[in-house]
Structures are given as C-alpha cells and as structure tokens.
C-alpha cells in the first residue's frame, strides 16, 4: 500500500477503498490537494467520562486540523489552549489551559484547531452556530450575536459555570460525586483511600503541614522529607487568669515511630494537655502545678490508646514539651527529648536550653561517661528513656519556672528541628531577629531550616513571645525546682 494513499476521508473519516475519487458519505473530492500538515505535534487525549462528557476517543488519537473539518470518531476533547470543548483535566475554559511546547497560540474569539468565530461560526462538528454558553466557549457572543440558550435535555443545560471559579483553571474539572480534586492532575476524583481515581497519585494528608497563629503564639508542623506521615502534634491557646491577665500555652508532642499509632498518640497527648491547662489556669492554679497535671492528663490519654490485651507490647507512645507564659513567669514541662529554648530579643545576651533530654545521650553525659559531642554523635543518642504511654516506666514529669527580666521568645520544638540547631546558640542564630513581633514567620523559618538541612524527621515548632519588665539585666533563673536529672533507666526506648 502506498504510504501516501488516504485510508480515511479527510472530511468525515469514512474508510476509503482503493480507487475512490469521492467520499461515498460526504462527497469529499479525494483528488483535491491534501491539506497542509498540522504544525502542532500529535497530543495524547486521556479517556475520561463524567457529567457533560461523551466517551472520549482512544488514548493517543491525533487531533485533526481545522482545515479538514473532521473529528476523530468519538473524540470530544479539544486541543488544550483552544477555545473549544476542553480536554480532560484542563478546566472549563481553553484560555486557562497551560501552554504546551509546540502549541499554536489560541486566537481571540475562539480560534484554534477546531475553527473560529468568523463567518459562519464553524463549530467543531462543522455545522450550526457557536455556543458561547458551553464549557470552552468565549463567554460572550462576538459582535452582538444573539445568545443561543441550551435546549432542554442537553448535557450542558444543567451545568452552569460557577462565577466564584472564574480565573481558576481547575475549578470546573469534572468531579463525579463532588469529592476532592487531585492535587497532582487537578482533574481526578480522590477516593476514600486518599488516591486519585484518574492518575493514582496519593493525596497529602491534612497533617502533612499545619500552621496556627494566635496573637501571642504561633506553631508550624511539617511531615519533613523522609517520613511517610506526620507523627508530631501541637496545640496553642490563650486564656485569662483570675486577675484578668493573659496566659499563653504551647504544647508540642512527638510520636515514637517504633511504637504503634504514634500519630494518634501525639495528637491525644497534645489535646489532653492543652485542655487540662485551659481548665486549671483560669481557676487560679499555679502554672507549675497546672503543667504537672497537664502532663499526667496527656499520659492518661496516650495510655488509653493501648490495646486491652494484657501484656500487649509496643503500645502507642510520644514525648511532650510545653510552655506557659503568665504573669511574667515562664513555666516549662516535659517528658522525653522534645526541647524548649530561651532566646533573648537582645542577641548580645546568651540564649539557653531550658530542658534536659530523657535520652541515652543525656544519661551518658550526666554520668560523666561521655562528652556531649561524643554522646550525641552516637547512634544510640536519640533512644529516649522517658515517654508517655502505657508501657512507660514510672512517670516523672519535669517542670521548671523562670522569671526572665528581659524580653525574648521561647522556642518549643521536637528533635526534627533541634537536630539541625542543637545548641542554644545555634537556635538563636537561625531564629529571625523579629521573632517576638512575627512568631508565625519565625516558626516557618525554623521549619524551613530543618527542611533545607534534609528534613529527616517530622518537624514541629512553636514560638512564644515573652514580654518582661525592663528592670535589670540577668539571665532567666529557675525559681521552682532545680533542673530535673535524667532518670537512670538502663533500658532505652527506641528513637522518637
């Protein structure tokens, strides 16, 4: 067979036989010079079905140039970038579609591979006026042409465009039963398992990245770059004390990855601790007592997640660190290796770490067996010796109160951040100078620093501004109890 013989009519795609000079269906003169080849490359058309769409042509079907007036059988999707019926996944109007390499620019008024709004107002199917009210239409008739309202029973008659979606190229993509749109292809429907039914892309979970800001505190949590889910949680809040002054609360929890359901454990702990503090502080409880009770409440909430089977191992577990700023006093409470740092607004003053880890490395340093640098370089450094959970050893919450006499901020974070800024000096160097005025921005910067460093773990940080009366110049000193020593358990817990 000659490679130049037409296998189908250029006018209606009717199959041809050897020796035909005219098409037996549309009468096309087959002896006419062949049309100029389409300068645009052949684009694949992905099959799609949904409201307002007929069955699409086979994947990879070539788009027929407008000069031929033909359409591949069953093909209802126009070239992305044209003003005809949109290709699947490109939204409701052609001009919103991204420009692909090699695409011919769309012509004003609907020009493109499917014809134009010129004399005759050719449609993709070669007859009848252009319908400007259809998806992919120009929206307004050219030159004062009358509107052509949809006839009863037409597929687009019950699909008016949402004015609020104007300018959003993906807002009107077909949605099936109205569920979420895939963040990857922007066209498919997301099933109940969290995967796109069109392209199969897994959708991000709601907890993959969270941000919250109040007037006096802000927090950011991110999944990081290596973990498949975010097992950290936080809670921030503000409440009033009996004397009318304000109290600010920040709780950060890190789920123990080797335990079961660590994401649920951290969420339960953060919620329970926050609720306990918001109940105790307005009643006049001392912040240290309120923090101690909050940690016990968090431990009970995590323990309640454990299986009821006696002797069940690997119960849900997490660490916790919390801060309360009230009445010129900064109160810290913690269990595990999540930390709190004090960073003065005056960077000439020294920053401090306010917590001591419940970890193997801290035990080695406290016992004088290793230097700090050597201990934290060991592969066992992050094995924790204190945690919240049904299988925890005797729970001994640490609390400490400080009364700084100069303003600053408290950075409350998981090891997903302090792994990339371990010392107080390192933390102060990466914290923006205007952290007290812009806590959310500062938390975002700290999370970004950890992501830039590799993001090997989940990252959660809360930034709590502390405004002190400017009297004297001294570092924050513990006023409630001395720094709690690391407990001497000999069987470390797996890394959080």
């Amino acid at each position: 067979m000659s490679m130049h013989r037409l296998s189908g009519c250029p006018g209606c795609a009717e199959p041809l036989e050897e020796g035909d000079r005219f098409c037996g269906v549309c009468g096309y003169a087959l002896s006419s010079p062949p049309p100029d080849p389409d300068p645009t490359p052949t684009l694949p058309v992905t099959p799609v079905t949904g409201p307002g769409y007929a069955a699409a042509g086979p994947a990879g079907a070539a788009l027929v140039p407008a000069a031929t007036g033909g359409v591949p059988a069953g093909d209802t999707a126009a070239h992305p970038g044209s003003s005809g019926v949109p290709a699947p996944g490109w939204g409701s109007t052609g001009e919103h579609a991204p420009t692909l390499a090699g695409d011919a620019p769309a012509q004003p008024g609907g020009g493109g591979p499917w014809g134009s709004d010129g004399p005759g107002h050719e449609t993709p199917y070669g007859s009848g006026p252009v319908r400007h009210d259809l998806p992919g239409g120009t929206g307004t008739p050219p030159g004062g042409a009358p509107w052509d309202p949809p006839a009863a029973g037409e597929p687009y008659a019950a699909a008016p465009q949402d004015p609020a979606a104007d300018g959003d190229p993906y807002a009107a993509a077909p949605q099936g039963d109205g569920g979420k749109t895939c963040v990857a292809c922007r066209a498919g429907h997301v099933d109940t398992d969290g995967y796109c039914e069109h392209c199969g892309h897994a959708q991000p979970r709601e907890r993959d990245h969270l941000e919250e800001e109040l007037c006096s505190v802000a927090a950011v949590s991110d999944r990081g770059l290596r973990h498949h889910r975010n097992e950290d949680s936080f809670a921030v809040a503000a409440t009033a004390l009996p004397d009318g002054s304000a109290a600010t609360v920040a709780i950060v929890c890190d789920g123990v990855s080797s335990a079961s359901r660590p994401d649920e454990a951290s969420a339960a702990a953060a919620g329970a601790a926050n609720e306990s503090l918001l109940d105790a502080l307005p009643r006049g409880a001392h912040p240290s007592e309120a923090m101690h009770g909050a940690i016990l409440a968090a431990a009970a909430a995590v323990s309640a997640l454990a299986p009821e089977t006696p002797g069940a191992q690997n119960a849900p577990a997490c660490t916790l660190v919390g801060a309360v700023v009230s009445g010129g006093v900064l109160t810290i409470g913690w269990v595990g290796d999540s930390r709190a740092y004090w960073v003065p607004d005056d960077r000439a003053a020294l920053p401090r770490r306010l917590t001591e880890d419940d970890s193997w490395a801290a035990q080695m340093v406290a016992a004088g067996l290793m230097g700090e640098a050597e201990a934290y370089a060991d592969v066992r450094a992050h094995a924790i010796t204190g945690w919240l959970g049904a299988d925890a050893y005797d729970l001994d919450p640490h609390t400490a109160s400080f009364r700084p006499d100069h303003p600053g901020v408290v950075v409350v974070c998981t090891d997903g951040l302090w792994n990339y800024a371990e010392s107080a000096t390192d933390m102060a160097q990466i914290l923006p100078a205007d952290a007290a005025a812009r806590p959310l921005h500062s938390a975002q910067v700290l999370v970004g620093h950890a992501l830039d460093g590799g993001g090997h773990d989940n990252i959660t940080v809360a930034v709590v501004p502390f405004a002190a009366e400017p009297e004297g110049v001294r570092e924050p000193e513990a006023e409630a109890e001395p720094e709690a020593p690391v407990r001497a358990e000999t069987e470390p817990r797996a890394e959080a």
Side-chain angles (χ1 to χ4, degrees):
M1 177 185 294
S2 171
M3 64 180 298
H4 299 292
R5 191 182 75 80
L6 294 173
S7 60
C9 172
C12 66
E14 176 71 13
L16 301 176
E17 297 181 1
E18 188 73 30
D20 284 346
R21 298 178 58 192
F22 297 90
C23 175
V25 174
C26 68
Y28 187 92
L30 302 177
S31 59
S32 301
D36 293 334
D38 188 352
T40 61
T42 297
L43 297 178
V45 178
T46 305
V48 67
T49 60
Y53 287 90
L63 296 172
V64 179
T68 67
V71 180
D75 203 345
T76 62
H79 189 292
S82 75
S83 62
V85 180
W90 293 118
S92 61
T93 55
E95 61 267 23
H96 292 153
T99 301
L100 302 181
D103 279 0
Q107 300 297 322
W114 289 117
S116 68
D117 283 334
H121 303 297
E122 289 82 7
T123 68
Y125 301 97
S127 64
V130 168
R131 284 282 297 280
H132 303 281
D133 57 325
L134 296 185
T138 60
T140 57
W147 287 95
D148 185 13
E154 289 197 15
Y156 297 107
Q161 298 301 302
D162 182 1
D166 186 32
D168 184 351
Y170 305 115
Q175 284 302 302
D177 60 359
K180 292 183 179 180
T181 307
C182 174
V183 300
C185 70
R186 299 286 186 168
H189 170 67
V190 179
D191 62 21
T192 55
D193 293 330
Y195 291 86
C196 176
E197 295 177 344
H198 180 62
C199 69
H201 189 88
Q203 305 302 295
R205 298 176 177 89
E206 182 180 0
R207 283 177 60 175
D208 282 358
H209 185 88
L210 296 172
E211 298 183 359
E212 187 171 349
E213 181 180 34
L214 303 177
C215 59
S216 55
V217 60
V220 176
S221 182
D222 193 271
R223 178 171 60 91
L225 303 179
R226 301 296 182 90
H227 280 220
H228 71 285
R229 65 182 173 185
N230 190 356
E231 297 168 358
D232 289 356
S233 291
F234 68 82
V236 294
T239 188
L241 300 179
D243 62 1
S245 61
T248 302
V249 173
I251 302 292
V252 167
C253 297
D254 184 359
V256 178
S257 296
S258 61
S260 62
R261 297 148 60 198
D263 52 334
E264 296 181 33
S266 64
N274 184 62
E275 183 177 350
S276 177
L277 286 169
L278 294 182
D279 177 63
L281 292 173
R283 291 191 286 104
H286 190 278
S288 291
E289 296 176 359
M291 180 62 75
H292 187 273
I295 295 176
L296 295 180
V302 178
S303 297
L305 299 176
E308 296 181 0
T309 305
Q313 300 297 314
N314 205 28
C318 70
T319 68
L320 180 148
V321 60
V324 174
V325 172
S326 62
V329 176
L330 167 60
T331 302
I332 304 295
W334 74 97
V335 172
D337 64 348
S338 293
R339 293 181 176 181
Y341 293 82
W342 164 259
V343 181
D345 288 350
D346 179 7
R347 297 305 168 84
L350 292 177
R352 283 187 58 183
R353 174 154 64 96
L354 304 179
T355 58
E356 192 68 31
D357 298 343
D358 290 327
S359 69
W360 180 90
Q363 279 188 347
M364 295 299 103
V365 174
L369 300 177
M370 289 185 177
E372 187 170 358
E374 180 185 5
Y376 280 99
D378 194 282
V379 294
R380 296 165 290 181
H382 289 281
I384 59 175
T385 57
W387 62 90
L388 305 180
D391 61 350
Y393 300 120
D394 293 338
L395 182 61
D396 182 20
H398 310 295
T399 61
S401 293
F402 306 87
R403 193 180 294 273
D405 58 7
H406 49 273
V409 297
V410 185
V411 176
V412 185
C413 64
T414 62
D415 60 347
L417 171 61
W418 66 253
N419 278 332
Y420 301 97
E422 186 170 333
S423 71
T425 301
D426 293 338
M427 190 66 69
Q429 289 177 345
I430 64 173
L431 185 71
D434 60 351
R438 304 174 65 193
L440 178 59
H441 171 260
S442 300
Q444 293 168 337
V445 169
L446 295 179
V447 169
H449 175 80
L451 293 173
D452 290 343
H456 285 71
D457 200 354
N458 306 145
I459 310 150
T460 301
V461 56
V463 176
V464 189
F466 182 95
E469 296 180 1
E471 296 180 1
V473 177
R474 61 187 174 91
E475 293 299 305
E477 298 177 357
E479 69 170 18
E481 64 174 78
E483 273 189 333
V486 177
R487 291 180 295 163
E489 287 88 0
T490 57
E491 183 179 357
R493 176 77 177 195
E495 180 180 345

